[in-house]
Amino acid sequence: MNRMFSPSTDPGPAAMALPAPVRACVPLAGHAPRVSCGQAVTKGQLVAEALEPGLGDAHAPVAGKVDLVDKWNVCVVAQGEARAEPVDLAALEGGTLRAVLRSLGVDIAPLAVINTLVINGLNSEPGVTSAELLLRDFAPTLQAGLDLARRVMGASVCVLALRQGVAASLAGCDTRSVPAVYPQTLDPLVIKAVTGKENPEGVAALSVHELFCLGQVAETGLPCDRTVLTVGERNFLVVVGTPVSEVLAAAGLDARDGDRVVLDGLFRGFTARSLGQGVDKGVYGLSVVPAGAHAPVTDAPCMECGKCVRICPSRVDPGLLSGCAEFGLLKQAVDNYIDACMECGLCAYVCPTHRPVLQYIRLAKQQLREVAESV
């Protein structure tokens, strides 16, 4: 087994619950703000409406007063305990239930109507243990999320995919051990390991982090407002909108000039814009990459060495796709199966010229979505 690509296995002690932030900043990617500076908001109140199909709306994680609205954030200074009225989900079904879940912040795009639901219970990337911690310590919330997911998706069969040696279960799910070597831990490859087929019809996967968010909504009738993420050797239960700086401080970490702070895992994650950026729902990891730890990313031309092609689990040509994105050749990107890319990040990891291969591919995918929505 390649130790470099082996996800961590020991989730360690229970997640440390951080207090609600004094000032919460809700990320606005894909959302349009619906509040203004100076406005008082209750906990759970809508603060931004989703612009993309399937994306959930955004809500205030604390009660208080809005003190910043820009293209990146809605920030709320905490004050008082007022909260929105919960929604009774019990009697809702079908399209009505999906619409209400979206209004409560749930990303409903993954909740397609299918026959078989695979719950991905593996830690998704090396250095992250939050998935197995959720299975160990938050089983009732995951079960509530699973029950709600099955109501929405109509799945008659459910399989919980686990790393070998993990003793976890969810009612109504069979369990299956699958390889725990990155990128075999990603949803499309977990589905293949469970079913023996690539992209089988009528099968979908949800991560335990998605179940955790859905479970919070099922238990409270309010928007999901917490996530569990791995920082260093520990896991933290964090209120959505908590600034990155506060999470790092709780973990005893410091980010200095030139360091990169990465949200999610190191292969697939996103660099935080600033230490004041708030943690979004579903973020599962946080890391500090010291300045100089890796060669700088460059826009050097692809040298066509083929390393990214040989390591790509989707069997596409990442170097070619990154070139299509670099020069705006979106049709050629589609013709070369950009949609098959599962964004594992191995291409960028092995690229000898340190091109931002994954970021180029993500840019092209975003531009294709914008073209599709404009038609």
Side-chain angles (χ1 to χ4, degrees):
M1 181 180 292
N2 188 330
R3 297 183 62 186
M4 180 67 73
F5 298 152
S6 300
S8 305
T9 55
D10 181 7
M16 179 186 295
L18 301 190
V22 174
R23 183 173 186 259
C25 289
V26 181
L28 286 185
H31 294 78
R34 293 292 180 261
V35 291
S36 55
C37 282
Q39 181 176 340
V41 295
T42 60
K43 180 179 178 180
Q45 178 176 330
L46 175 76
V47 297
E49 194 170 350
L51 298 175
E52 299 175 8
L55 192 63
D57 293 334
H59 304 79
V62 296
K65 184 173 289 187
V66 177
D67 79 332
L68 174 67
V69 179
D70 61 16
K71 63 185 294 186
W72 306 110
N73 313 280
V74 168
C75 296
V76 179
V77 176
Q79 187 175 26
E81 300 291 335
R83 64 176 58 206
E85 286 295 319
V87 177
D88 184 1
L89 300 172
L92 304 179
E93 296 181 355
T96 303
L97 177 56
R98 293 174 64 86
V100 170
L101 290 176
R102 186 168 188 255
S103 73
L104 290 172
V106 175
D107 295 341
I108 62 171
L111 305 181
V113 176
I114 40 89
N115 297 320
T116 301
L117 174 59
V118 177
I119 304 301
N120 185 350
L122 287 87
N123 295 316
S124 56
E125 297 187 53
V128 173
T129 59
S130 50
E132 291 189 8
L133 181 133
L134 284 169
L135 283 167
R136 189 191 68 189
D137 296 348
F138 293 87
T141 302
L142 297 186
Q143 187 66 54
L146 174 61
D147 294 344
L148 183 52
R150 296 188 73 170
R151 279 175 55 197
V152 177
M153 304 172 78
S156 58
V157 177
C158 180
V159 179
L160 172 60
L162 300 168
R163 175 177 59 85
Q164 189 171 18
V166 173
S169 63
L170 292 170
C173 278
D174 296 329
T175 58
R176 187 79 57 84
S177 295
V178 301
V181 181
Y182 189 77
Q184 303 293 326
T185 52
L186 302 183
D187 286 352
L189 297 179
V190 170
I191 288 177
K192 182 181 178 183
V194 168
T195 66
K197 300 177 181 177
E198 288 189 357
N199 304 315
E201 291 187 2
V203 183
L206 293 177
S207 69
V208 290
H209 288 85
E210 289 170 316
L211 280 195
F212 184 59
C213 181
L214 199 55
Q216 291 177 62
V217 175
E219 290 178 330
T220 66
L222 294 168
C224 162
D225 66 355
R226 295 172 300 160
T227 188
V228 171
L229 69 165
T230 305
V231 189
E233 302 295 322
R234 291 228 42 187
N235 285 285
F236 295 83
L237 179 64
V238 175
V239 173
V240 171
T242 299
V244 165
S245 59
E246 295 183 19
V247 182
L248 292 178
L253 297 177
D254 187 22
R256 304 182 180 185
D257 287 347
D259 294 349
R260 285 197 308 132
V261 178
V262 179
L263 295 160
D264 288 338
L266 291 175
F267 279 98
R268 294 162 54 87
F270 297 82
T271 300
R273 295 187 312 280
S274 74
L275 296 180
Q277 178 175 338
V279 173
D280 207 351
K281 62 178 184 287
V283 169
Y284 54 79
L286 184 61
S287 302
V288 176
V289 181
H294 301 283
V297 174
T298 73
D299 281 330
C302 171
M303 57 190 293
E304 301 183 1
C305 65
K307 287 189 174 181
C308 60
V309 178
R310 290 192 290 275
I311 203 169
C312 177
S314 298
R315 302 192 299 278
V316 297
D317 186 338
L320 174 62
L321 293 175
S322 71
C324 292
E326 186 176 8
F327 297 105
L329 304 175
L330 296 182
K331 182 178 184 305
Q332 286 88 333
V334 173
D335 292 343
N336 286 280
Y337 310 104
I338 191 171
D339 285 342
C341 169
M342 62 183 75
E343 302 182 20
C344 68
L346 288 178
C347 48
Y349 179 79
V350 300
C351 178
T353 60
H354 310 296
R355 282 169 57 80
V357 183
L358 173 60
Q359 286 71 24
Y360 272 134
I361 292 174
R362 284 175 167 168
L363 172 64
K365 286 186 174 183
Q366 177 61 34
Q367 291 174 332
L368 286 166
R369 283 193 292 270
E370 291 173 358
V371 170
E373 291 167 7
S374 66
V375 174

